[in-house]
Amino acid sequence: MAALAGTPPSNATGLDSVAPRYTVGSVAKATRLLDLVSDAPLDGLTVTELARGLQTSKSTAFALARTLADRGYLRPVDPGPRYQLGLTLVRLGDVAANQQPLRQLCQPILHNLSTSTALTTRVAINDGGQPVFIERVDAPGTIRFHTPLGIPELAHVSSAGKAILSTFTDEQVKEFVTVHEMVRRTPKTIVTLEDLLADLTITRRRNYAVDDEEDVEGVFCIGAAFFDHTGTCAGAVSATGIKRDLAPREVDDIGRAVAAAAGQVTALLRGTPPPATDPR
Amino acid sequence: MAALAGTPPSNATGLDSVAPRYTVGSVAKATRLLDLVSDAPLDGLTVTELARGLQTSKSTAFALARTLADRGYLRPVDPGPRYQLGLTLVRLGDVAANQQPLRQLCQPILHNLSTSTALTTRVAINDGGQPVFIERVDAPGTIRFHTPLGIPELAHVSSAGKAILSTFTDEQVKEFVTVHEMVRRTPKTIVTLEDLLADLTITRRRNYAVDDEEDVEGVFCIGAAFFDHTGTCAGAVSATGIKRDLAPREVDDIGRAVAAAAGQVTALLRGTPPPATDPR
DNA sequence: CGCTATGTTCGGTGGTACCGAACCGAGAGG
DNA sequence: CCTCTCGGTTCGGTACCACCGAACATAGCG
């Protein structure tokens, strides 16, 4: 409805999303700037492009960019200063991923799973039903998938998402799909609540979820959920491969391997968290 | 010199570092907040701890934290809201690393090098002489080294740093060490300009640099520089292992492998970006 | 040689980021 | 059970600063 407002009629300040009180305007604007740069094509954005994207004046965009560049959040590249994301964000992203306690625990498990299955494996945390991947391990020799980290992905089309949803009750799943609509990605995508619940029932029975070209054509995915010490689903492990490289007989073997890996994660989350010496 | 300033006497506003004009105060403060959280222990910081760290009032720290949390830069964790770095930073860090054109090119090369040498391999970009690692590939089965990404590391103690410095003239090296002092990390660390220049001469001759327990005791590192299309050093590849696992005879083999990998990177940066067919 | 488009610099001013103080809510301790 | 304390949250008011518009500098182009 408010899509094609050429000029901002009701809101000239540039604050578009919610302003739930207690928000610092300039900081919010800076985050929007970073989002802009992160979505931009590879060669970065100029000050004027930033100003246009932020719907603000050149001078403001200039000041914001300078500030962020001084702190290393942006990196000015030579010709007519275009801005890319800077190395400080690499550092913060690395630290942020490491602060997710899962990552440390999962790395060796992912490595093992990746070599034993010869597939690309990933681990996602459960963000209210949506899977957010925080780490991946590429299988050596395979083509690299485009698997960005840190973004909530569609739950009903990914094996990790369906693994997470399989820990929900039917009521919870119903509520989930009312807020996250089931968009179609391929002809095989599950788009009705009924079909999804049926799929989840099968998933619960065999302990792993399958995404058979439901997200991307030609791509096959198997995932399994793991649980924290309170028994609630903390996330999921998944393995991804090209469909035609997989013999159908393999699927259940891989599924068991993925489920076993998820079981290892659960065990680590339950049992002794400190790897060092803490005999309390 | 300015190390142990407990209280900022002359500057009560909270703006400590340079304010080279055209800086947005709140955004700078937000970045300091993120730095604080990134350096904090694993369980996050509370609002009051943030306020103390920023030398500001609770309400301000609260507003900043809320804003950053709304955008996913911070993640509030349950008991008495403690803030950790959020998943948005994981995403931005991933994108930032991918925006470094090197990363895409280097990944397969690093994988190959990692499997052929059975070592952990990394790639750093040349940041004015200092190596900043932007990607690592762990060798399967090895212990994991603590190798943070995105931080400028000491040039005179790391193989990647010495590989980069070996592309400098003696004059440039001399200037470099005047601004970056040669701190000692282990008994074997090179701490004089004279010894460093001698080491760099050897490095140039054999085409790879060696860090023999000069940064961390027991750790051995071999690095080689690569060059962009203008012929200037763009960064370095390095391989890391435990010293006692390496037979001395191996060192030169590994050195040649690392140098060859760096040569591949150079070739990709110069010539044909598509890595598909290259039957040279 | 203008002309355009860009990055950069510079006052002035309205909005807002900041602060202090008050209000809650949860534990600890008596 | 009450009180005390500490930390999170909320609220007004004001000094300040983030923002803007306009001007300057510079480069590319017709």
mmCIF file with all atom_site columns, all heavy atoms in Angstrom, chain D residues 15-23:
data_model
loop_
_atom_site.group_PDB
_atom_site.id
_atom_site.type_symbol
_atom_site.label_atom_id
_atom_site.label_alt_id
_atom_site.label_comp_id
_atom_site.label_asym_id
_atom_site.label_entity_id
_atom_site.label_seq_id
_atom_site.pdbx_PDB_ins_code
_atom_site.Cartn_x
_atom_site.Cartn_y
_atom_site.Cartn_z
_atom_site.occupancy
_atom_site.B_iso_or_equiv
_atom_site.pdbx_formal_charge
_atom_site.auth_seq_id
_atom_site.auth_comp_id
_atom_site.auth_asym_id
_atom_site.auth_atom_id
_atom_site.pdbx_PDB_model_num
ATOM 1   P P     . DA D 1 15 ? 20.014 24.620 28.912 1.00 0.00 ? 15 DA D P     1
ATOM 2   O OP1   . DA D 1 15 ? 20.156 25.374 30.167 1.00 0.00 ? 15 DA D OP1   1
ATOM 3   O OP2   . DA D 1 15 ? 19.302 25.228 27.764 1.00 0.00 ? 15 DA D OP2   1
ATOM 4   O "O5'" . DA D 1 15 ? 21.478 24.181 28.421 1.00 0.00 ? 15 DA D "O5'" 1
ATOM 5   C "C5'" . DA D 1 15 ? 22.211 23.201 29.166 1.00 0.00 ? 15 DA D "C5'" 1
ATOM 6   C "C4'" . DA D 1 15 ? 22.877 22.222 28.219 1.00 0.00 ? 15 DA D "C4'" 1
ATOM 7   O "O4'" . DA D 1 15 ? 21.854 21.533 27.441 1.00 0.00 ? 15 DA D "O4'" 1
ATOM 8   C "C3'" . DA D 1 15 ? 23.825 22.853 27.207 1.00 0.00 ? 15 DA D "C3'" 1
ATOM 9   O "O3'" . DA D 1 15 ? 24.954 22.003 27.054 1.00 0.00 ? 15 DA D "O3'" 1
ATOM 10  C "C2'" . DA D 1 15 ? 22.982 22.931 25.924 1.00 0.00 ? 15 DA D "C2'" 1
ATOM 11  C "C1'" . DA D 1 15 ? 22.080 21.714 26.055 1.00 0.00 ? 15 DA D "C1'" 1
ATOM 12  N N9    . DA D 1 15 ? 20.759 21.863 25.434 1.00 0.00 ? 15 DA D N9    1
ATOM 13  C C8    . DA D 1 15 ? 19.955 22.968 25.465 1.00 0.00 ? 15 DA D C8    1
ATOM 14  N N7    . DA D 1 15 ? 18.817 22.817 24.830 1.00 0.00 ? 15 DA D N7    1
ATOM 15  C C5    . DA D 1 15 ? 18.871 21.519 24.353 1.00 0.00 ? 15 DA D C5    1
ATOM 16  C C6    . DA D 1 15 ? 17.968 20.756 23.605 1.00 0.00 ? 15 DA D C6    1
ATOM 17  N N6    . DA D 1 15 ? 16.774 21.203 23.183 1.00 0.00 ? 15 DA D N6    1
ATOM 18  N N1    . DA D 1 15 ? 18.330 19.495 23.296 1.00 0.00 ? 15 DA D N1    1
ATOM 19  C C2    . DA D 1 15 ? 19.518 19.045 23.713 1.00 0.00 ? 15 DA D C2    1
ATOM 20  N N3    . DA D 1 15 ? 20.455 19.668 24.425 1.00 0.00 ? 15 DA D N3    1
ATOM 21  C C4    . DA D 1 15 ? 20.060 20.915 24.711 1.00 0.00 ? 15 DA D C4    1
ATOM 22  P P     . DC D 1 16 ? 26.200 22.470 26.262 1.00 0.00 ? 16 DC D P     1
ATOM 23  O OP1   . DC D 1 16 ? 27.360 22.216 27.114 1.00 0.00 ? 16 DC D OP1   1
ATOM 24  O OP2   . DC D 1 16 ? 25.959 23.809 25.668 1.00 0.00 ? 16 DC D OP2   1
ATOM 25  O "O5'" . DC D 1 16 ? 26.207 21.409 25.073 1.00 0.00 ? 16 DC D "O5'" 1
ATOM 26  C "C5'" . DC D 1 16 ? 25.768 20.085 25.337 1.00 0.00 ? 16 DC D "C5'" 1
ATOM 27  C "C4'" . DC D 1 16 ? 25.321 19.418 24.060 1.00 0.00 ? 16 DC D "C4'" 1
ATOM 28  O "O4'" . DC D 1 16 ? 24.005 19.891 23.671 1.00 0.00 ? 16 DC D "O4'" 1
ATOM 29  C "C3'" . DC D 1 16 ? 26.218 19.684 22.852 1.00 0.00 ? 16 DC D "C3'" 1
ATOM 30  O "O3'" . DC D 1 16 ? 26.384 18.449 22.181 1.00 0.00 ? 16 DC D "O3'" 1
ATOM 31  C "C2'" . DC D 1 16 ? 25.387 20.650 22.004 1.00 0.00 ? 16 DC D "C2'" 1
ATOM 32  C "C1'" . DC D 1 16 ? 24.002 20.118 22.279 1.00 0.00 ? 16 DC D "C1'" 1
ATOM 33  N N1    . DC D 1 16 ? 22.865 21.037 21.984 1.00 0.00 ? 16 DC D N1    1
ATOM 34  C C2    . DC D 1 16 ? 21.741 20.551 21.315 1.00 0.00 ? 16 DC D C2    1
ATOM 35  O O2    . DC D 1 16 ? 21.717 19.367 20.976 1.00 0.00 ? 16 DC D O2    1
ATOM 36  N N3    . DC D 1 16 ? 20.709 21.394 21.053 1.00 0.00 ? 16 DC D N3    1
ATOM 37  C C4    . DC D 1 16 ? 20.775 22.668 21.447 1.00 0.00 ? 16 DC D C4    1
ATOM 38  N N4    . DC D 1 16 ? 19.740 23.445 21.177 1.00 0.00 ? 16 DC D N4    1
ATOM 39  C C5    . DC D 1 16 ? 21.904 23.178 22.125 1.00 0.00 ? 16 DC D C5    1
ATOM 40  C C6    . DC D 1 16 ? 22.922 22.347 22.371 1.00 0.00 ? 16 DC D C6    1
ATOM 41  P P     . DC D 1 17 ? 27.791 17.935 21.742 1.00 0.00 ? 17 DC D P     1
ATOM 42  O OP1   . DC D 1 17 ? 28.415 17.185 22.831 1.00 0.00 ? 17 DC D OP1   1
ATOM 43  O OP2   . DC D 1 17 ? 28.489 19.070 21.096 1.00 0.00 ? 17 DC D OP2   1
ATOM 44  O "O5'" . DC D 1 17 ? 27.369 16.906 20.613 1.00 0.00 ? 17 DC D "O5'" 1
ATOM 45  C "C5'" . DC D 1 17 ? 26.062 16.314 20.671 1.00 0.00 ? 17 DC D "C5'" 1
ATOM 46  C "C4'" . DC D 1 17 ? 25.427 16.288 19.287 1.00 0.00 ? 17 DC D "C4'" 1
ATOM 47  O "O4'" . DC D 1 17 ? 24.524 17.410 19.146 1.00 0.00 ? 17 DC D "O4'" 1
ATOM 48  C "C3'" . DC D 1 17 ? 26.418 16.420 18.139 1.00 0.00 ? 17 DC D "C3'" 1
ATOM 49  O "O3'" . DC D 1 17 ? 25.993 15.640 17.054 1.00 0.00 ? 17 DC D "O3'" 1
ATOM 50  C "C2'" . DC D 1 17 ? 26.318 17.895 17.799 1.00 0.00 ? 17 DC D "C2'" 1
ATOM 51  C "C1'" . DC D 1 17 ? 24.816 18.087 17.950 1.00 0.00 ? 17 DC D "C1'" 1
ATOM 52  N N1    . DC D 1 17 ? 24.389 19.503 18.078 1.00 0.00 ? 17 DC D N1    1
ATOM 53  C C2    . DC D 1 17 ? 23.068 19.862 17.798 1.00 0.00 ? 17 DC D C2    1
ATOM 54  O O2    . DC D 1 17 ? 22.277 18.985 17.469 1.00 0.00 ? 17 DC D O2    1
ATOM 55  N N3    . DC D 1 17 ? 22.703 21.160 17.912 1.00 0.00 ? 17 DC D N3    1
ATOM 56  C C4    . DC D 1 17 ? 23.609 22.075 18.283 1.00 0.00 ? 17 DC D C4    1
ATOM 57  N N4    . DC D 1 17 ? 23.201 23.332 18.391 1.00 0.00 ? 17 DC D N4    1
ATOM 58  C C5    . DC D 1 17 ? 24.950 21.733 18.567 1.00 0.00 ? 17 DC D C5    1
ATOM 59  C C6    . DC D 1 17 ? 25.298 20.444 18.449 1.00 0.00 ? 17 DC D C6    1
ATOM 60  P P     . DA D 1 18 ? 26.310 14.068 17.039 1.00 0.00 ? 18 DA D P     1
ATOM 61  O OP1   . DA D 1 18 ? 26.010 13.514 18.359 1.00 0.00 ? 18 DA D OP1   1
ATOM 62  O OP2   . DA D 1 18 ? 27.648 13.926 16.439 1.00 0.00 ? 18 DA D OP2   1
ATOM 63  O "O5'" . DA D 1 18 ? 25.222 13.540 15.995 1.00 0.00 ? 18 DA D "O5'" 1
ATOM 64  C "C5'" . DA D 1 18 ? 23.899 13.409 16.421 1.00 0.00 ? 18 DA D "C5'" 1
ATOM 65  C "C4'" . DA D 1 18 ? 22.916 13.775 15.320 1.00 0.00 ? 18 DA D "C4'" 1
ATOM 66  O "O4'" . DA D 1 18 ? 22.758 15.206 15.259 1.00 0.00 ? 18 DA D "O4'" 1
ATOM 67  C "C3'" . DA D 1 18 ? 23.292 13.331 13.913 1.00 0.00 ? 18 DA D "C3'" 1
ATOM 68  O "O3'" . DA D 1 18 ? 22.118 12.885 13.260 1.00 0.00 ? 18 DA D "O3'" 1
ATOM 69  C "C2'" . DA D 1 18 ? 23.840 14.599 13.272 1.00 0.00 ? 18 DA D "C2'" 1
ATOM 70  C "C1'" . DA D 1 18 ? 23.039 15.687 13.956 1.00 0.00 ? 18 DA D "C1'" 1
ATOM 71  N N9    . DA D 1 18 ? 23.761 16.955 14.130 1.00 0.00 ? 18 DA D N9    1
ATOM 72  C C8    . DA D 1 18 ? 25.093 17.114 14.385 1.00 0.00 ? 18 DA D C8    1
ATOM 73  N N7    . DA D 1 18 ? 25.463 18.368 14.521 1.00 0.00 ? 18 DA D N7    1
ATOM 74  C C5    . DA D 1 18 ? 24.286 19.075 14.343 1.00 0.00 ? 18 DA D C5    1
ATOM 75  C C6    . DA D 1 18 ? 24.001 20.452 14.363 1.00 0.00 ? 18 DA D C6    1
ATOM 76  N N6    . DA D 1 18 ? 24.909 21.392 14.594 1.00 0.00 ? 18 DA D N6    1
ATOM 77  N N1    . DA D 1 18 ? 22.723 20.827 14.150 1.00 0.00 ? 18 DA D N1    1
ATOM 78  C C2    . DA D 1 18 ? 21.792 19.875 13.933 1.00 0.00 ? 18 DA D C2    1
ATOM 79  N N3    . DA D 1 18 ? 21.951 18.548 13.885 1.00 0.00 ? 18 DA D N3    1
ATOM 80  C C4    . DA D 1 18 ? 23.224 18.217 14.106 1.00 0.00 ? 18 DA D C4    1
ATOM 81  P P     . DC D 1 19 ? 22.157 12.328 11.813 1.00 0.00 ? 19 DC D P     1
ATOM 82  O OP1   . DC D 1 19 ? 21.187 11.227 11.743 1.00 0.00 ? 19 DC D OP1   1
ATOM 83  O OP2   . DC D 1 19 ? 23.567 12.110 11.446 1.00 0.00 ? 19 DC D OP2   1
ATOM 84  O "O5'" . DC D 1 19 ? 21.576 13.530 10.952 1.00 0.00 ? 19 DC D "O5'" 1
ATOM 85  C "C5'" . DC D 1 19 ? 20.242 13.954 11.186 1.00 0.00 ? 19 DC D "C5'" 1
ATOM 86  C "C4'" . DC D 1 19 ? 19.999 15.268 10.498 1.00 0.00 ? 19 DC D "C4'" 1
ATOM 87  O "O4'" . DC D 1 19 ? 20.863 16.271 11.062 1.00 0.00 ? 19 DC D "O4'" 1
ATOM 88  C "C3'" . DC D 1 19 ? 20.306 15.261 9.005  1.00 0.00 ? 19 DC D "C3'" 1
ATOM 89  O "O3'" . DC D 1 19 ? 19.100 15.231 8.265  1.00 0.00 ? 19 DC D "O3'" 1
ATOM 90  C "C2'" . DC D 1 19 ? 21.101 16.554 8.761  1.00 0.00 ? 19 DC D "C2'" 1
ATOM 91  C "C1'" . DC D 1 19 ? 21.086 17.260 10.086 1.00 0.00 ? 19 DC D "C1'" 1
ATOM 92  N N1    . DC D 1 19 ? 22.368 17.943 10.431 1.00 0.00 ? 19 DC D N1    1
ATOM 93  C C2    . DC D 1 19 ? 22.402 19.330 10.563 1.00 0.00 ? 19 DC D C2    1
ATOM 94  O O2    . DC D 1 19 ? 21.363 19.978 10.374 1.00 0.00 ? 19 DC D O2    1
ATOM 95  N N3    . DC D 1 19 ? 23.569 19.945 10.876 1.00 0.00 ? 19 DC D N3    1
ATOM 96  C C4    . DC D 1 19 ? 24.668 19.221 11.077 1.00 0.00 ? 19 DC D C4    1
ATOM 97  N N4    . DC D 1 19 ? 25.789 19.861 11.390 1.00 0.00 ? 19 DC D N4    1
ATOM 98  C C5    . DC D 1 19 ? 24.654 17.796 10.957 1.00 0.00 ? 19 DC D C5    1
ATOM 99  C C6    . DC D 1 19 ? 23.501 17.203 10.632 1.00 0.00 ? 19 DC D C6    1
ATOM 100 P P     . DC D 1 20 ? 19.142 15.027 6.706  1.00 0.00 ? 20 DC D P     1
ATOM 101 O OP1   . DC D 1 20 ? 17.873 14.374 6.326  1.00 0.00 ? 20 DC D OP1   1
ATOM 102 O OP2   . DC D 1 20 ? 20.435 14.418 6.323  1.00 0.00 ? 20 DC D OP2   1
ATOM 103 O "O5'" . DC D 1 20 ? 19.114 16.520 6.173  1.00 0.00 ? 20 DC D "O5'" 1
ATOM 104 C "C5'" . DC D 1 20 ? 18.159 17.417 6.709  1.00 0.00 ? 20 DC D "C5'" 1
ATOM 105 C "C4'" . DC D 1 20 ? 18.521 18.838 6.342  1.00 0.00 ? 20 DC D "C4'" 1
ATOM 106 O "O4'" . DC D 1 20 ? 19.714 19.225 7.039  1.00 0.00 ? 20 DC D "O4'" 1
ATOM 107 C "C3'" . DC D 1 20 ? 18.788 19.045 4.861  1.00 0.00 ? 20 DC D "C3'" 1
ATOM 108 O "O3'" . DC D 1 20 ? 17.757 19.842 4.298  1.00 0.00 ? 20 DC D "O3'" 1
ATOM 109 C "C2'" . DC D 1 20 ? 20.155 19.744 4.801  1.00 0.00 ? 20 DC D "C2'" 1
ATOM 110 C "C1'" . DC D 1 20 ? 20.440 20.134 6.233  1.00 0.00 ? 20 DC D "C1'" 1
ATOM 111 N N1    . DC D 1 20 ? 21.863 20.004 6.660  1.00 0.00 ? 20 DC D N1    1
ATOM 112 C C2    . DC D 1 20 ? 22.566 21.140 7.058  1.00 0.00 ? 20 DC D C2    1
ATOM 113 O O2    . DC D 1 20 ? 22.014 22.243 7.031  1.00 0.00 ? 20 DC D O2    1
ATOM 114 N N3    . DC D 1 20 ? 23.862 21.009 7.450  1.00 0.00 ? 20 DC D N3    1
ATOM 115 C C4    . DC D 1 20 ? 24.425 19.790 7.476  1.00 0.00 ? 20 DC D C4    1
ATOM 116 N N4    . DC D 1 20 ? 25.700 19.693 7.881  1.00 0.00 ? 20 DC D N4    1
ATOM 117 C C5    . DC D 1 20 ? 23.720 18.626 7.072  1.00 0.00 ? 20 DC D C5    1
ATOM 118 C C6    . DC D 1 20 ? 22.453 18.777 6.677  1.00 0.00 ? 20 DC D C6    1
ATOM 119 P P     . DG D 1 21 ? 17.551 19.900 2.734  1.00 0.00 ? 21 DG D P     1
ATOM 120 O OP1   . DG D 1 21 ? 16.094 19.953 2.492  1.00 0.00 ? 21 DG D OP1   1
ATOM 121 O OP2   . DG D 1 21 ? 18.374 18.853 2.121  1.00 0.00 ? 21 DG D OP2   1
ATOM 122 O "O5'" . DG D 1 21 ? 18.183 21.312 2.327  1.00 0.00 ? 21 DG D "O5'" 1
ATOM 123 C "C5'" . DG D 1 21 ? 17.930 22.426 3.154  1.00 0.00 ? 21 DG D "C5'" 1
ATOM 124 C "C4'" . DG D 1 21 ? 18.859 23.565 2.795  1.00 0.00 ? 21 DG D "C4'" 1
ATOM 125 O "O4'" . DG D 1 21 ? 20.156 23.338 3.405  1.00 0.00 ? 21 DG D "O4'" 1
ATOM 126 C "C3'" . DG D 1 21 ? 19.119 23.756 1.303  1.00 0.00 ? 21 DG D "C3'" 1
ATOM 127 O "O3'" . DG D 1 21 ? 18.990 25.126 0.970  1.00 0.00 ? 21 DG D "O3'" 1
ATOM 128 C "C2'" . DG D 1 21 ? 20.536 23.234 1.090  1.00 0.00 ? 21 DG D "C2'" 1
ATOM 129 C "C1'" . DG D 1 21 ? 21.183 23.448 2.446  1.00 0.00 ? 21 DG D "C1'" 1
ATOM 130 N N9    . DG D 1 21 ? 22.179 22.438 2.800  1.00 0.00 ? 21 DG D N9    1
ATOM 131 C C8    . DG D 1 21 ? 22.107 21.088 2.541  1.00 0.00 ? 21 DG D C8    1
ATOM 132 N N7    . DG D 1 21 ? 23.138 20.420 2.989  1.00 0.00 ? 21 DG D N7    1
ATOM 133 C C5    . DG D 1 21 ? 23.945 21.391 3.569  1.00 0.00 ? 21 DG D C5    1
ATOM 134 C C6    . DG D 1 21 ? 25.204 21.262 4.212  1.00 0.00 ? 21 DG D C6    1
ATOM 135 O O6    . DG D 1 21 ? 25.861 20.243 4.412  1.00 0.00 ? 21 DG D O6    1
ATOM 136 N N1    . DG D 1 21 ? 25.679 22.489 4.660  1.00 0.00 ? 21 DG D N1    1
ATOM 137 C C2    . DG D 1 21 ? 25.020 23.685 4.505  1.00 0.00 ? 21 DG D C2    1
ATOM 138 N N2    . DG D 1 21 ? 25.631 24.751 5.005  1.00 0.00 ? 21 DG D N2    1
ATOM 139 N N3    . DG D 1 21 ? 23.847 23.824 3.900  1.00 0.00 ? 21 DG D N3    1
ATOM 140 C C4    . DG D 1 21 ? 23.375 22.636 3.460  1.00 0.00 ? 21 DG D C4    1
ATOM 141 P P     . DA D 1 22 ? 19.198 25.596 -0.533 1.00 0.00 ? 22 DA D P     1
ATOM 142 O OP1   . DA D 1 22 ? 18.194 26.652 -0.740 1.00 0.00 ? 22 DA D OP1   1
ATOM 143 O OP2   . DA D 1 22 ? 19.235 24.416 -1.430 1.00 0.00 ? 22 DA D OP2   1
ATOM 144 O "O5'" . DA D 1 22 ? 20.657 26.242 -0.515 1.00 0.00 ? 22 DA D "O5'" 1
ATOM 145 C "C5'" . DA D 1 22 ? 21.048 27.038 0.602  1.00 0.00 ? 22 DA D "C5'" 1
ATOM 146 C "C4'" . DA D 1 22 ? 22.532 27.327 0.529  1.00 0.00 ? 22 DA D "C4'" 1
ATOM 147 O "O4'" . DA D 1 22 ? 23.273 26.189 1.045  1.00 0.00 ? 22 DA D "O4'" 1
ATOM 148 C "C3'" . DA D 1 22 ? 23.079 27.576 -0.888 1.00 0.00 ? 22 DA D "C3'" 1
ATOM 149 O "O3'" . DA D 1 22 ? 23.973 28.662 -0.875 1.00 0.00 ? 22 DA D "O3'" 1
ATOM 150 C "C2'" . DA D 1 22 ? 23.768 26.266 -1.228 1.00 0.00 ? 22 DA D "C2'" 1
ATOM 151 C "C1'" . DA D 1 22 ? 24.306 25.864 0.141  1.00 0.00 ? 22 DA D "C1'" 1
ATOM 152 N N9    . DA D 1 22 ? 24.601 24.451 0.269  1.00 0.00 ? 22 DA D N9    1
ATOM 153 C C8    . DA D 1 22 ? 23.844 23.391 -0.158 1.00 0.00 ? 22 DA D C8    1
ATOM 154 N N7    . DA D 1 22 ? 24.376 22.216 0.095  1.00 0.00 ? 22 DA D N7    1
ATOM 155 C C5    . DA D 1 22 ? 25.574 22.520 0.726  1.00 0.00 ? 22 DA D C5    1
ATOM 156 C C6    . DA D 1 22 ? 26.601 21.723 1.236  1.00 0.00 ? 22 DA D C6    1
ATOM 157 N N6    . DA D 1 22 ? 26.586 20.385 1.187  1.00 0.00 ? 22 DA D N6    1
ATOM 158 N N1    . DA D 1 22 ? 27.658 22.354 1.801  1.00 0.00 ? 22 DA D N1    1
ATOM 159 C C2    . DA D 1 22 ? 27.665 23.683 1.834  1.00 0.00 ? 22 DA D C2    1
ATOM 160 N N3    . DA D 1 22 ? 26.755 24.545 1.385  1.00 0.00 ? 22 DA D N3    1
ATOM 161 C C4    . DA D 1 22 ? 25.722 23.890 0.835  1.00 0.00 ? 22 DA D C4    1
ATOM 162 P P     . DA D 1 23 ? 24.482 29.272 -2.292 1.00 0.00 ? 23 DA D P     1
ATOM 163 O OP1   . DA D 1 23 ? 24.073 30.688 -2.301 1.00 0.00 ? 23 DA D OP1   1
ATOM 164 O OP2   . DA D 1 23 ? 24.091 28.374 -3.403 1.00 0.00 ? 23 DA D OP2   1
ATOM 165 O "O5'" . DA D 1 23 ? 26.063 29.191 -2.149 1.00 0.00 ? 23 DA D "O5'" 1
ATOM 166 C "C5'" . DA D 1 23 ? 26.678 29.593 -0.931 1.00 0.00 ? 23 DA D "C5'" 1
ATOM 167 C "C4'" . DA D 1 23 ? 28.019 28.895 -0.792 1.00 0.00 ? 23 DA D "C4'" 1
ATOM 168 O "O4'" . DA D 1 23 ? 27.790 27.473 -0.584 1.00 0.00 ? 23 DA D "O4'" 1
ATOM 169 C "C3'" . DA D 1 23 ? 28.929 29.010 -2.031 1.00 0.00 ? 23 DA D "C3'" 1
ATOM 170 O "O3'" . DA D 1 23 ? 30.212 29.462 -1.643 1.00 0.00 ? 23 DA D "O3'" 1
ATOM 171 C "C2'" . DA D 1 23 ? 28.960 27.588 -2.583 1.00 0.00 ? 23 DA D "C2'" 1
ATOM 172 C "C1'" . DA D 1 23 ? 28.752 26.762 -1.331 1.00 0.00 ? 23 DA D "C1'" 1
ATOM 173 N N9    . DA D 1 23 ? 28.237 25.426 -1.577 1.00 0.00 ? 23 DA D N9    1
ATOM 174 C C8    . DA D 1 23 ? 27.055 25.083 -2.165 1.00 0.00 ? 23 DA D C8    1
ATOM 175 N N7    . DA D 1 23 ? 26.856 23.782 -2.260 1.00 0.00 ? 23 DA D N7    1
ATOM 176 C C5    . DA D 1 23 ? 27.996 23.237 -1.692 1.00 0.00 ? 23 DA D C5    1
ATOM 177 C C6    . DA D 1 23 ? 28.408 21.910 -1.487 1.00 0.00 ? 23 DA D C6    1
ATOM 178 N N6    . DA D 1 23 ? 27.673 20.853 -1.850 1.00 0.00 ? 23 DA D N6    1
ATOM 179 N N1    . DA D 1 23 ? 29.594 21.718 -0.894 1.00 0.00 ? 23 DA D N1    1
ATOM 180 C C2    . DA D 1 23 ? 30.322 22.775 -0.540 1.00 0.00 ? 23 DA D C2    1
ATOM 181 N N3    . DA D 1 23 ? 30.045 24.074 -0.668 1.00 0.00 ? 23 DA D N3    1
ATOM 182 C C4    . DA D 1 23 ? 28.851 24.240 -1.264 1.00 0.00 ? 23 DA D C4    1
#
